[in-house]
């Protein structure tokens, strides 16, 4: 497939792109995410029921970021954004900061970010790199103990959907990398592009929505993504 210079590219990424950096994906065979059921830690109801458990879980995930690095797939997407003669937008479902650290700048974290906290009182969103504790104060309104992780939990609205929808309608190539196609609206993005748009899935195995893509390649992200970027930039 040859794309004209100036064509715009939208790339959706999921947990599979960070797997080879050492971060577990969500839908491992045991149905648990880092030893927790998703509904025990990633829902607003869980936060009401047991805020300490939820905060501890995300504090651990935030700490874990200090021990992982972006991999060749993250770096390849940052290179594509730098060198492609057109728009490249990365929309990630991942709450880690590995795309940011690799150098992606036109980046949307549609499911939020581990390195941000949100105040339940005033709604202020701020950078947060340490644990969120019962005594943590909001830097804006100073209320104590009312910060939550800036993460989109199940049942909550993903972020920046208007901007994502506009980019999908205008793009010439849509690629999905390392995502199982289980969670909407992200799993439906491939169906939101204009008729005739190239669509490509790069994943370890077939996803729930593979049949909707015009092309699928199976393998590890650290191999598939750099090779694909190389082809595009040739
Ligand atoms: P999943 O865990 O559902 O899927 C990860 C996908 O990556 C699977 O299809 C794997 O086969 C694939 N994979 C694993 N290792 C890979 C590798 N080295 N190279 C390429 N692919 C690999 O994760 P997501 O699809 O990202 O939402 O999950 C979507 C959302 O569900 C998450 O953002 C999260 C979760 O619940 C929220 O927290 C709101």
């Amino acid at each position: 497939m040859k794309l004209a210079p100036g064509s715009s590219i939208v790339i959706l990424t999921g947990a599979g792109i960070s797997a080879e950096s050492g971060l577990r994906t969500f839908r491992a065979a045991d149905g648990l995410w880092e030893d927790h059921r998703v509904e025990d830690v990633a829902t607003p109801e869980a936060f009401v029921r047991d805020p300490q458990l939820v905060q501890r879980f995300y504090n651990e995930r935030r700490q874990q970021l200090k021990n992982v690095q972006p991999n060749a797939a993250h770096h390849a997407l940052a290179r594509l954004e730098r060198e492609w003669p057109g728009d490249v937008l990365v929309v990630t479902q991942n709450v880690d900061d590995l795309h940011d650290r690799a150098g992606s700048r036109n980046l949307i974290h549609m499911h939020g970010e581990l390195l941000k906290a949100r105040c339940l009182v005033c709604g202020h969103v701020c950078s947060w790199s340490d644990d969120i504790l019962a005594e943590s104060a909001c830097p804006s309104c100073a209320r104590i103990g009312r910060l939550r992780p800036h993460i989109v939990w199940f049942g909550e609205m993903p972020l920046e959907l208007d901007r994502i929808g506009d980019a999908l309608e205008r793009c010439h190539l849509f690629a999905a990398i390392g995502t199982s196609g289980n969670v909407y609206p992200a799993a439906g993005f491939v169906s939101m592009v204009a008729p005739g748009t190239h669509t490509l899935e790069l994943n370890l195995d077939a996803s729930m929505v593979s049949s909707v893509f015009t092309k699928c390649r199976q393998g590890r992200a650290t191999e598939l993504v750099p090779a694909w970027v190389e082809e595009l930039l040739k």
Side-chain angles (χ1 to χ4, degrees):
M1 177 203 54
K2 196 78 192 146
L3 270 185
S7 304
S8 62
I9 303 174
V10 175
I11 300 157
L12 172 71
T13 66
I17 198 167
S18 296
E20 291 166 80
S21 292
L23 294 176
R24 290 248 300 262
T25 59
F26 291 88
R27 288 171 185 78
D30 55 13
L32 296 178
W33 178 31
E34 298 285 0
D35 302 326
H36 291 271
R37 295 187 314 154
V38 163
E39 56 269 34
D40 289 340
V41 288
T43 61
E45 294 77 17
F47 189 58
V48 170
R49 197 169 48 235
D50 194 344
Q52 281 174 344
L53 170 77
V54 174
Q55 295 285 20
R56 196 166 60 240
F57 178 79
Y58 285 98
N59 287 343
E60 284 169 13
R61 306 280 74 70
R62 199 174 298 108
Q63 290 297 335
Q64 196 180 21
L65 293 184
K66 295 178 179 159
N67 303 318
V68 297
Q69 301 298 331
N71 65 45
H74 300 102
H75 286 296
L77 295 186
R79 178 185 170 211
L80 183 65
E81 182 184 329
R82 278 195 309 273
E83 298 183 19
W84 179 252
D87 285 343
V88 174
L89 172 66
V90 175
V91 179
T92 188
Q93 299 166 85
N94 298 343
V95 295
D96 65 55
D97 65 337
L98 296 181
H99 283 302
D100 310 64
R101 277 196 261 157
S104 287
R105 292 293 169 259
N106 198 17
L107 172 67
I108 296 177
H109 279 276
M110 65 176 289
H111 288 167
E113 296 173 65
L114 278 169
L115 293 180
K116 288 185 177 165
R118 187 181 342 136
C119 179
L120 289 163
V121 179
C122 71
H124 180 71
V125 175
C126 58
S127 298
W128 202 273
S129 54
D130 293 319
D131 290 353
I132 300 179
L133 303 169
E135 57 269 27
S136 298
C138 170
S140 179
C141 73
R143 285 288 290 269
I144 305 251
R146 303 306 308 276
L147 292 177
R148 61 164 273 182
H150 186 51
I151 302 282
V152 175
W153 287 325
F154 283 95
E156 297 183 324
M157 187 66 93
L159 308 174
E160 301 204 56
L161 287 181
D162 288 348
R163 194 175 144 209
I164 297 169
D166 286 348
L168 288 169
E169 278 170 25
R170 281 186 288 102
C171 76
H172 303 93
L173 168 63
F174 171 74
I177 302 170
T179 177
S180 64
N182 275 288
V183 174
Y184 284 80
F189 288 172
V190 61
S191 307
M192 289 168 61
V193 299
T197 306
H198 299 286
T199 57
L200 171 67
E201 179 178 81
L202 305 175
N203 206 45
L204 196 57
D205 43 25
S207 78
M208 300 296 284
V209 291
S210 292
S211 61
V212 189
F213 286 83
T214 43
K215 286 220 172 92
C216 296
R217 296 183 190 175
Q218 290 187 7
R220 287 145 52 118
T222 55
E223 288 162 14
L224 292 183
V225 180
W228 172 62
V229 167
E230 194 67 46
E231 280 169 39
L232 283 170
L233 293 176
K234 223 183 254 169

